[in-house]
Amino acid sequence: MSSSTKDPSRSRRWWLTRAAGAALWMVAQSGVVQAAPRDRRELVIAVSDDGESTRKVVADLRRRFPRAQVGDAMSPATRKALVIAVGPAALRAVMAENIEGPVISVFTSSQVYHSILESAGARRPPSTAVYAEPAPAAQLRLVNLLFKRPVRTTVVLGGRTAFLEPSLQRAAAATKIPLTVEKYELDDSVSRILSRSVESPAILAIPDSLVYNSDNLRTVLLTTYRNGQAVIGFSAALVRAGALATTYSEVEEINAQLEELVSDYESTGRLPEPQFPKYFRTLINEDVARSLNLVVDETARHFANSPDKR
Amino acid sequence: MATIPLMVMAIFELVYLWYNGPYEVRSDLREHGEILAAAIAENSEYGLTSGNMKDLERTVRSLVAADKWIYRIDVVDSGRKPRLSIQAKDGRQAGGGRFDARVFRRTLPVDDFGSDELPHFSGEDRERVETTEVIGEVHVLLSEEPAIAKQKRRLLLQMLLLVFAVPLSVWVATLLGKALHRPMNTAIRALRDVRGGDYSVQLDVDDGGEMGELLDAINDMSRSLDEAKRNLEGKVLARTRDLEASRNEALKADAEKRRLIQKVDSAVEDERKSIAVEIHDELNATLLGARYSSRRILDMASALPASYETAVIKESAETIDRISAQLYTSARKIVRRLRPEVLDMLGLEGAVEEMLQTYESAPGAPSFTFNHAGDFSQVEGALAIAAYRLIQECVSNVVKHAQAKDVVVMAKVRISEDARMLRLGVIDDGIGFEPDGVQEGIGLIGMKERVYAFGGTLRIKTGQGAGTHIEIELPLNTDTSTKD
């Protein structure tokens, strides 16, 4: 009797081991990579779990990169292969390997991506990322669409997201939104910070587990609701829980951006800077909008950037 | 009577209300306090989490002011540190108990993108597990006075209701009782009539419902009983007719049997008489003639000279004379037994006396005593012969079997307004016999048949060594006795 029907974790290990083994075998058999125009390396998709969402990601990546090998993130890969790390665990495992090839992180938030890079030290391979959270610039544009004018927006940045302040300021300037950046200190309370920002009709939530976590998100939502503030969340789930709206990216949209990134790298040989999702769509909580007396129009509802427009 | 259950119920209700009062108060307090504590705990999550207690304080203060049951409300954090305490200021007293509820902080089941294990998806829509954490506690202290006041009002209202409801119920019960009384009495009277055998009872049914059904049932029962009674009477009548017919048949057969026995007896007597006449007229005359001739021979031989031949002739003549005389005597005895002509001459009492003298003259015979009374002229014909033969059979049996010394024979004619009867009795002091141990002989059977033929009775009292007492009663002037 197969144990795979008995123990899901063993099944997952069996699947990953077989996938990694197949990938490494093919990498070893292929020998020297055929010459690309500039830098056509071997491509390895590193995963660390076989959850439903991860399987969906891998399936889409296989379709986009037929030559790519799917491997366990903990398995040794060809030193110079281009590795796509799906999720934080896979990224951390790849960073721990002694490889030279570039690493592209997907489905990892910016705060976790930077945290893992810091932990990996200076000898880490070159890397870039398509962050998991929505692009602040798109979120600020959504604020304008929801309020139909630039309104003061407060953003709370913790230690893990402080690096985003310049890009936020640029995006605010581009959208003419008066932006208030609140720094979160260790002994501070996000509710207290938000209470200080009652003059801001909009709160842009940037995922930083020091600031926003599952313990205080309910309180944050209650506080902003009492203050009459609109929260621009960072995920569809948060909007369903009580935030006003967010832009978000489906798996296919992140992967499309990844495909473009790999293509650029292979053509230019240069790894771009980490970037926020380029393709997105919008989700609005109509109940919250009504409670805030916001009239949501179709422009806001259909605010999106689809890879099909390319 | 109908009101007694109501009164008992009312008394129990009052007792219940009185003794259940404290429990009701406690129950009200508990229910009120638990609901309040739970509601305030639910509203305290935000205040304890955010530190913004102003809203909660405002809410609780309004609650304490509006709800007279609340004495004080305390909110403490997870470290038991008081965060809020609002007490009523209108002089309420505590005593209603304390009710606690824990304040939970529930995590929002969304990904905060802080995990460094699983991938982050901004478009993810699957539910995550919600976890809870105790962050404080709410204590609600209640005042007892409002609960007691409420209970007093409730008790007063219930007693007022009882005061009105009980008399009303009694009145209604009385009306119902009266309404039921009349048809019930009618039904009882009807049932008594039925029990007394009057099945023609039919009640007027003008009520519906169960009472109407009861009266209908009584009517049905009465009709059914009446019909059953008529059927039964018809059957009894038919059976009685059958029995009477059978009885008549039996009586007719009985009478015929008696007549037959009498006829047989009569034929026997006639034949005896005929034989007796033959013996008397023919045999006796012949014997007398033979005796006369033998005496002439003897006389003639005596006149002859004595010789051997004359001596033989004389001796033979004497022998013939003696034998003839003996035969004549025997013939007369036979004639007497065959035809007691003495009955015709002396009547029954004389014939019996003569018969007893004859038996008594026999060697070893017992001593006979004959007692008779009454007018025996009423006893004649076949009845006289039957009575004579019955006594003859009894005495013959005594002589043959009883070994008695003294025998008393009785014959009495008793004539009164009620009955005309010939009573016969034969009592001996002989050895007697066991009535059940002795098979009846021809003689006893003949006696019973003879008695039966005349509609009489025969009783035998005897026992081993106790002698024998036979008593016979024969009615006089019956159809059967006068026929012959």
Side-chain angles (χ1 to χ4, degrees), chain A residues 92 107 109 111 219 223 226 236, chain B residues 49 55 113 116-117 120 122:
Chain A
R92 191 170 58 248
F107 301 103
S109 64
Q111 56 166 328
T219 305
T223 303
R226 293 186 177 193
Chain B
T49 304
D55 286 349
F113 285 25
D116 59 356
E117 289 294 332
H120 307 139
S122 63

Side-chain angles (χ1 to χ4, degrees), chain B residues 323-399:
Chain B
I323 292 170
S324 298
Q326 287 175 347
L327 285 172
Y328 181 79
T329 302
S330 296
R332 281 193 58 86
K333 284 182 180 177
I334 291 169
V335 168
R336 267 204 303 276
R337 288 173 61 184
L338 288 172
R339 172 60 188 165
E341 67 274 12
V342 69
L343 262 177
D344 301 328
M345 295 182 291
L346 303 177
L348 179 63
E349 73 271 29
V352 171
E353 194 165 1
E354 192 270 340
M355 176 178 60
L356 294 179
Q357 285 174 357
T358 302
Y359 276 107
E360 198 171 32
S361 62
S367 169
F368 288 95
T369 304
F370 179 48
N371 297 326
H372 57 89
D375 181 10
F376 282 87
S377 64
Q378 305 286 329
V379 184
E380 57 185 357
L383 180 63
I385 292 173
Y388 180 82
R389 293 296 184 199
L390 286 168
I391 292 173
Q392 188 180 40
E393 181 66 28
C394 290
V395 171
S396 174
N397 285 334
V398 169
V399 170

Side-chain angles (χ1 to χ4, degrees), chain A residues 18-248:
Chain A
R18 292 293 298 269
L24 293 174
W25 179 82
M26 293 191 71
V27 168
Q29 292 294 314
S30 61
V32 179
V33 177
Q34 288 185 350
R38 292 294 298 269
D39 189 358
R40 188 173 173 80
R41 296 168 183 252
E42 299 161 19
L43 194 58
V44 174
I45 301 169
V47 294
S48 59
D49 71 292
D50 67 342
E52 184 182 345
S53 299
T54 302
R55 287 204 298 273
K56 186 179 176 184
V57 169
V58 171
D60 189 67
L61 288 176
R62 280 179 177 281
R63 186 177 59 78
R64 295 176 188 275
F65 306 106
R67 64 189 175 88
Q69 308 306 313
V70 179
D72 189 341
M74 303 300 292
S75 301
T78 303
R79 290 174 61 84
K80 293 185 178 180
L82 173 59
V83 179
I84 299 170
V86 180
L91 176 63
R92 191 170 58 248
V94 169
M95 286 296 171
E97 294 292 327
N98 185 20
I99 60 172
E100 297 176 0
V103 178
I104 303 173
S105 165
V106 286
F107 301 103
T108 299
S109 64
S110 60
Q111 56 166 328
V112 175
Y113 173 74
H114 286 280
S115 173
I116 290 172
L117 289 194
E118 286 172 14
S119 301
R123 296 185 60 187
R124 67 177 183 269
S127 64
T128 187
V130 177
Y131 297 141
E133 69 266 36
Q139 299 279 65
L140 290 173
R141 287 171 61 197
L142 178 60
V143 171
N144 270 350
L145 290 172
L146 289 168
F147 286 88
K148 299 181 178 63
R149 60 186 173 84
V151 296
R152 176 162 294 282
T153 302
T154 294
V155 61
V156 183
L157 297 178
R160 291 179 171 183
T161 49
F163 69 95
L164 291 174
E165 185 175 356
S167 61
L168 280 168
Q169 292 294 0
R170 284 196 299 276
T175 53
K176 299 179 181 176
I177 284 179
L179 187 69
T180 301
V181 177
E182 292 281 353
K183 300 289 177 55
Y184 181 86
E185 304 298 335
L186 282 179
D187 57 348
D188 213 340
S189 160
V190 68
S191 298
R192 202 171 301 125
I193 294 172
L194 293 174
S195 297
R196 289 201 303 262
S197 311
V198 289
E199 73 282 0
S200 292
I203 305 293
L204 175 59
I206 304 293
D208 184 333
S209 55
L210 295 176
V211 183
Y212 304 108
N213 51 57
S214 55
D215 288 343
N216 66 8
L217 272 173
R218 185 187 299 279
T219 305
V220 167
L221 292 174
L222 279 170
T223 303
T224 54
Y225 171 74
R226 293 186 177 193
N227 293 341
Q229 296 170 305
V231 174
I232 307 301
F234 47 78
S235 69
L238 189 54
V239 171
R240 291 190 189 94
L244 172 62
T246 186
T247 61
Y248 69 97

Side-chain angles (χ1 to χ4, degrees), chain B residues 179-196 198 201-207 210-222 225:
Chain B
L180 287 173
H181 190 64
R182 187 180 56 80
M184 281 297 285
N185 268 351
T186 305
I188 291 169
R189 276 200 303 274
L191 289 172
R192 282 180 178 153
D193 289 345
V194 169
R195 186 179 63 188
D198 181 8
V201 173
Q202 284 300 309
L203 303 174
D204 294 332
V205 181
D206 50 4
D207 292 335
E210 294 171 350
M211 190 52 68
E213 288 182 11
L214 173 65
L215 298 180
D216 270 338
I218 291 173
N219 284 341
D220 291 344
M221 180 187 71
S222 176
L225 287 173

Side-chain angles (χ1 to χ4, degrees), chain B residues 3-18 158-159 161-163 165-167 169-170:
Chain B
T3 61
I4 290 176
L6 286 171
M7 302 303 292
V8 171
M9 188 184 72
I11 291 169
F12 274 104
E13 177 69 16
L14 281 172
V15 172
Y16 170 78
L17 290 175
W18 183 259
Q158 287 169 334
M159 290 183 73
L161 283 174
L162 277 178
V163 165
V166 169
S169 302
V170 168

